[in-house]
């Protein structure tokens, strides 16, 4: 049996317009051997799997490297990724979202760097793909683990799991127990990975294409369930960080993010809930707010000026709103 160096995990749900491009970018990888592709059908309601199978026929040399797993019911993105990881045989794993695509040599370059440096994680850069334009994103990278944690919390280094290759034996020790949610699911995995890793390496090359045109994508939605997922994600991160030896700068960065998430309840009609706001992460202080507007809203909430807050509510749900 062929030794598997890299397992690529691709959850599939509602990506009929995009799955062919994604599949072609993976099946066309320059890494011809030692790789497997695990597609997880999360009970998709459209023709995504049909299109995937049709595309696969054009790559007969890849047949033995492709596995399609099927959920009997929709379980969500985090659970679908875990299903793929459980079936993976590779020394390393890479995640790919099925509405995105990758550079032809991404898998090989990431694997090669991981082996050369004996890293648990390798981080690369990416390209935002808009309608008719692209934007290359080059992140800050600091070899210090402490600085990586602070940079993740301050969004100077980005949390998306698809920017990383992980040593599988390392990944399964922590990532399989992170929350099964659909929004904010990447942050617990990436943060714990950087905290627990022995070595992290960095490739400056932008190797991943992040599709920002998919209006059905989770980062484009602003529902109560999405917000609840984000709260669960950040509660998990909060509990983890507070279990570590205290570091004032790390705690300050964490509190700024917690404040940002909590204060959305003061700014969006869909999730406005003063009772919940007052009980969620009560340790947060006014100085944890990220800007003056948030400080004003928090001061009004503490003074129980609920009527004025409702008058000030604006529907800011248009555009991208990272939790």
């Amino acid at each position: 049996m062929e030794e598997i160096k890299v397992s690529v995990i691709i959850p599939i749900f509602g990506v009929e317009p995009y799955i062919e491009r994604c599949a072609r970018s993976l099946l066309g990888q320059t890494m011809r051997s030692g790789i497997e592709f695990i597609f997880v059908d999360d009970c998709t309601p459209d023709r995504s799997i049909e299109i995937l199978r049709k595309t696969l026929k054009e790559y007969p040399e890849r047949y033995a490297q492709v596995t399609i797993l099927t959920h009997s019911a929709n379980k969500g993105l985090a659970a679908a990724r875990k299903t793929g990881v459980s079936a993976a045989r590779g020394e390393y794993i890479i995640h790919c979202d099925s509405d995105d695509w990758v550079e032809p040599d991404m898998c090989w370059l990431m694997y090669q760097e991981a082996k050369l440096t004996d890293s648990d994680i390798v981080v690369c850069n990416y390209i935002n793909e808009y309608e008719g334009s692209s934007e290359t994103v080059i992140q800050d990278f600091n070899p210090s683990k402490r600085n990586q944690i602070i940079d993740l919390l301050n969004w100077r280094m980005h949390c998306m799991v698809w920017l990383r290759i992980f040593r599988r034996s390392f990944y399964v020790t922590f990532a399989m127990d992170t929350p099964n949610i659909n929004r904010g699911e990447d942050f617990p995995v990436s943060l714990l990975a950087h905290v627990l890793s022995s070595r992290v390496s960095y490739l400056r090359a932008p190797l991943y294409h992040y599709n920002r045109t998919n209006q059905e994508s989770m980062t484009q939605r602003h529902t109560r369930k999405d917000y609840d997922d984000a709260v669960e994600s950040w509660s998990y991160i909060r509990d983890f960080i507070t279990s570590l030896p205290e570091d004032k700068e790390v705690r300050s960065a964490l509190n700024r993010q917690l404040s940002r998430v909590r204060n959305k309840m003061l700014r969006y009609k869909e999730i406005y809930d003063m009772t919940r706001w007052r009980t969620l992460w009560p340790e947060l202080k006014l100085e944890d707010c990220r800007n003056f507007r948030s400080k004003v809203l928090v001061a009004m909430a503490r003074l129980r000026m609920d009527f004025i807050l409702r008058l000030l509510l604006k529907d800011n749900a248009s555009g991208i709103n990272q939790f």
Side-chain angles (χ1 to χ4, degrees):
M1 181 177 291
E2 181 185 30
E3 178 188 6
I4 304 300
K5 300 177 177 69
V6 175
S7 299
V8 187
I9 315 298
I10 314 101
I12 297 178
F13 183 84
V15 289
E16 183 176 322
Y18 312 107
I19 184 60
E20 180 178 350
R21 179 177 57 192
C22 176
R24 289 188 184 280
S25 76
L26 294 172
L27 299 173
Q29 285 292 295
T30 58
M31 191 173 187
R32 308 307 297 174
S33 61
I35 190 169
E36 65 176 354
F37 306 94
I38 303 176
F39 295 89
V40 182
D41 176 7
D42 194 25
C43 204
T44 186
D46 59 7
R47 296 177 57 249
S48 294
I49 299 301
E50 177 187 339
I51 294 170
L52 171 62
R53 292 186 186 280
K54 182 178 179 181
T55 304
L56 179 58
K57 290 180 180 179
E58 299 179 35
Y59 299 84
E61 73 281 7
R62 295 290 197 187
Y63 281 2
Q65 298 174 335
V66 173
T67 300
I68 300 176
L69 304 175
T70 303
H71 284 168
S72 58
N74 178 253
K75 297 182 179 180
L77 179 57
R81 285 175 175 163
K82 290 176 184 178
T83 294
V85 171
S86 294
R89 296 175 292 146
E91 183 182 2
Y92 285 85
I93 58 172
I94 292 176
H95 293 287
C96 181
D97 286 353
S98 48
D99 55 349
D100 300 332
W101 68 99
V102 302
E103 286 292 296
D105 53 357
M106 177 178 179
C107 293
W108 171 246
L109 290 176
M110 297 284 273
Y111 174 74
Q112 184 181 49
E113 178 68 16
K115 293 297 287 183
L116 285 172
T117 58
D118 191 27
S119 294
D120 291 323
I121 314 165
V122 178
V123 182
C124 71
N125 287 304
Y126 67 101
I127 302 168
N128 281 320
E129 298 288 355
Y130 301 101
E131 196 70 51
S133 66
S134 300
E135 173 197 25
T136 299
V137 179
I138 304 297
Q139 306 162 93
D140 292 336
F141 182 81
N142 192 305
S144 159
K145 178 183 291 191
R146 176 178 179 269
N147 285 338
Q148 288 172 25
I149 297 165
I150 293 169
D151 287 347
L152 276 166
L153 290 168
N154 285 324
W155 201 248
R156 290 192 292 263
M157 183 163 64
H158 297 174
C159 70
M160 294 82 82
V161 295
W162 40 252
L163 291 179
R164 293 163 169 81
I165 189 171
F166 300 91
R167 194 194 308 268
R168 181 170 60 90
S169 60
F170 162 70
Y171 185 91
V172 298
T173 63
F174 66 91
M176 305 302 273
D177 296 323
T178 54
N180 280 340
I181 54 178
N182 289 327
R183 188 71 176 266
E185 75 290 340
D186 288 18
F187 225 122
V189 173
S190 293
L191 184 77
L192 266 67
H194 282 262
V195 171
L196 300 173
S197 63
S198 297
R199 185 187 296 273
V200 180
S201 296
Y202 173 66
L203 282 175
R204 187 175 175 82
L207 300 174
Y208 192 94
H209 295 262
Y210 181 21
N211 177 16
R212 307 304 289 266
T213 68
N214 182 5
Q215 296 303 310
E216 300 302 316
S217 120
M218 281 173 287
T219 57
Q220 303 286 349
R221 298 194 320 240
H222 308 278
T223 68
R224 182 60 183 255
K225 176 62 169 63
D226 293 326
Y227 183 77
D228 290 345
D229 281 356
V231 168
E232 183 176 353
S233 171
W234 281 99
S235 293
Y236 184 92
I237 292 168
R238 169 182 173 267
D239 292 346
F240 175 74
I241 288 181
T242 54
S243 73
L244 302 175
E246 184 164 0
D247 182 311
K248 289 185 178 179
E249 192 172 355
V250 170
R251 295 289 178 91
S252 177
L254 170 67
N255 287 345
R256 283 195 296 272
Q257 291 298 329
L258 293 176
S259 176
R260 179 179 63 88
V261 174
R262 186 185 69 169
N263 291 347
K264 289 183 185 296
M265 279 189 282
L266 305 179
R267 304 202 311 266
Y268 291 89
K269 295 176 182 177
E270 296 89 346
I271 54 178
Y272 182 80
D273 186 338
M274 284 304 305
T275 300
R276 189 180 189 189
W277 182 91
R278 292 188 175 103
T279 58
L280 184 63
W281 307 319
E283 73 275 15
L284 297 180
K285 299 178 176 60
L286 193 64
E287 54 264 33
D288 295 321
C289 295
R290 295 169 67 96
N291 54 49
F292 178 74
R293 180 172 182 267
S294 290
K295 288 182 180 180
V296 170
L297 293 173
V298 168
M300 294 173 65
R302 287 184 173 177
L303 293 170
R304 297 184 179 270
M305 301 170 67
D306 298 9
F307 176 72
I308 298 177
L309 278 171
R310 289 192 188 95
L311 290 178
L312 292 175
L313 267 185
K314 293 182 180 179
D315 185 3
N316 294 325
S318 59
I320 294 172
N321 172 26
Q322 290 284 351
F323 280 107

